[in-house]
Amino acid sequence: MLFHSCLECAPAATSRRQFLAGASAAAAATMLPAPAVRAQGAKTLIDTHSHIYPPQYMKMQQEYEDARKIPRYPAVDSWSVSKLVELMDQNGVRTSVLSYASTPGLWFDAGPEAAHKAATEGQEFAAKMRQDHPGRFGVFAPLSMMNVDVTLKEIEHAFDAIKADGINLQSNYGDKWLGDPMYKPVLEELNRRKAVIYVHPLVAACCGRLSVGTFPAVIEVPHDTTRTVTSLLLSGSFARYRDIKWIFSHAGGTIPLMAGRIDAFYGKRPNLKEFAPEGIFGELARLHYDTANATSAPTMAALLKLVPVSQVTYGTDYPYFPHNQNQDLHKLGIAAADIAAIEHGNAERLIPRLKAG
């Protein structure tokens, strides 16, 4: 959930860290007592939204932030594999599927070669974590998406070399959302491979200053998920690439609330079947959505009116939010079987390798 780097948009770059730093102590406190006791005996959760910070990537992020006087977020600077495993153990997380959070600027504004190196580092780092901790980690492999030919080679490396469980994309790259024609060869290849694609949003370069007294990440991040979902929908990408299985962050951003409005404008178009064979609502209901920072009663109510429980996976957005957000789900009156599906069953269906031995 990070931001464009231009000086004009500096508030966007600082937004997530400033907003979350104030909550970090409270989040840490919530991670320990009751769930820790329960979790020691039963690790059942699968977290499809957990972020990694390999050494060179971390260094680039810190240098990027320091050069722009962006306050660092302590939980990112202190991130480590051992700490992640410890917190997973305390909170009953059996497996975390690893990905990058959205990278500041366009891959730190360091250019295509550096972007490729960062994507490759993320793939290899996550694969090593999975190797070193059997059963504890899955891999959503990042792609650089700046050069199509290079990205196609990254896909080959992800699936053929490190045996990734899926792909990790951002909602936009330099204000090209995922339905942009540039990405057609990438999506064609991912469709051929029947890939799971996990999408993480960020504040778009255009919109970092659209603040109404809050940090841009609070409002703009979920809206950017809506932008990229709408881009994929109206471009016909969902219709063309039926074998891709999509997971969108944070309960789909504002999609559950905007679905009716999108349908009102596009649901009666003469060419509807060309870009939405199952109608607007039907296409949105085929997608998967995680629960990261989205387990409040109103958010879950909206999401579960849009999609069946089978389309919802458990996510945390660690290290930005704690591992025990599933406690909120247990307070919503959701049936036990549906809770189990969200907490691990749906992820196991998407990624059969994650099933408990």
Side-chain angles (χ1 to χ4, degrees):
M1 273 190 211
L2 289 172
F3 325 100
H4 185 57
S5 63
C6 68
L7 294 178
E8 177 181 277
C9 299
T14 62
S15 62
R16 177 168 184 161
R17 301 209 186 289
Q18 290 172 335
F19 173 67
L20 293 172
S24 60
T30 65
M31 287 164 136
L32 297 175
V37 174
R38 176 189 62 80
Q40 295 301 328
K43 298 182 182 67
T44 59
L45 298 172
I46 296 177
D47 177 5
T48 61
H49 187 154
S50 183
H51 297 310
I52 55 169
Y53 295 87
Q56 184 58 30
Y57 182 94
M58 177 81 86
K59 181 174 181 289
M60 292 177 71
Q61 178 159 314
Q62 290 171 338
E63 290 175 350
Y64 179 95
E65 291 169 349
D66 290 348
R68 292 158 180 80
K69 295 182 170 51
I70 299 171
R72 295 185 190 175
Y73 184 54
V76 170
D77 277 3
S78 65
W79 184 95
S80 69
V81 176
S82 60
K83 184 175 182 180
L84 173 56
V85 172
E86 179 183 359
L87 291 171
M88 289 167 59
D89 288 344
Q90 290 174 354
N91 291 278
V93 178
R94 185 175 81 224
T95 305
S96 292
V97 190
L98 306 170
S99 60
Y100 278 152
S102 298
T103 305
L106 180 56
W107 291 104
F108 307 110
D109 297 332
E113 184 176 349
H116 170 62
K117 288 180 179 178
T120 303
E121 183 190 22
Q123 291 191 14
E124 294 289 347
F125 187 85
K128 183 69 161 55
M129 287 177 63
R130 184 178 62 187
Q131 178 183 353
D132 291 347
H133 301 271
R136 304 311 303 276
F137 295 113
V139 178
F140 285 151
L143 304 178
S144 60
M145 299 292 280
M146 293 184 70
N147 177 291
V148 168
D149 291 336
V150 170
T151 300
L152 292 174
K153 291 186 181 300
E154 292 167 357
I155 294 172
E156 182 179 354
H157 182 265
F159 288 114
D160 299 342
I162 68 166
K163 309 300 181 185
D165 299 295
I167 293 297
N168 165 204
L169 297 181
Q170 297 185 166
S171 54
N172 77 75
Y173 296 85
D175 281 357
K176 283 186 174 66
W177 285 268
L178 295 180
D180 191 280
M182 173 182 173
Y183 303 130
K184 183 177 179 180
V186 174
L187 296 183
E188 286 176 345
E189 176 61 11
L190 292 173
N191 188 68
R192 185 184 73 82
R193 290 180 177 267
K194 298 179 169 56
V196 175
I197 301 180
Y198 160 72
V199 181
H200 195 278
L202 71 163
V203 174
C206 63
C207 305
R209 296 184 64 85
L210 295 181
S211 176
V212 289
T214 187
F215 304 114
V218 177
I219 296 173
E220 282 303 315
V221 157
H223 276 304
D224 211 63
T225 291
T226 300
R227 289 188 187 99
T228 213
V229 169
T230 306
S231 167
L232 288 161
L233 173 68
L234 298 185
S235 67
S237 298
F238 290 147
R240 282 192 298 273
Y241 310 122
R242 287 316 240 192
D243 288 327
I244 292 175
K245 294 170 282 292
W246 298 89
I247 306 174
F248 292 95
S249 301
H250 315 123
T254 57
I255 278 291
L257 301 180
M258 295 291 291
R261 186 171 177 84
I262 296 169
D263 180 68
F265 279 90
Y266 293 96
K268 295 180 175 59
R269 293 287 179 98
N271 65 335
L272 176 68
K273 295 299 182 182
E274 296 176 14
F275 64 88
E278 297 185 21
I280 302 299
F281 284 102
E283 294 301 317
L284 298 177
R286 294 181 70 253
L287 311 177
H288 296 81
Y289 305 85
D290 76 34
T291 65
N293 192 29
T295 53
S296 71
T299 303
M300 289 302 299
L303 178 61
L304 293 176
K305 286 292 186 181
L306 178 66
V307 303
V309 166
S310 63
Q311 305 308 106
V312 182
T313 67
Y314 181 66
T316 66
D317 206 353
Y318 180 80
Y320 295 99
F321 293 94
H323 281 92
N324 63 351
Q325 297 167 51
N326 67 307
Q327 292 182 31
D328 295 332
L329 297 176
H330 287 265
K331 301 172 185 176
L332 300 180
I334 299 173
D338 291 342
I339 291 284
I342 293 170
E343 290 185 336
H344 59 87
N346 295 335
E348 291 169 342
R349 178 172 44 81
L350 281 169
I351 309 171
R353 188 189 66 78
L354 300 184
K355 291 180 180 178

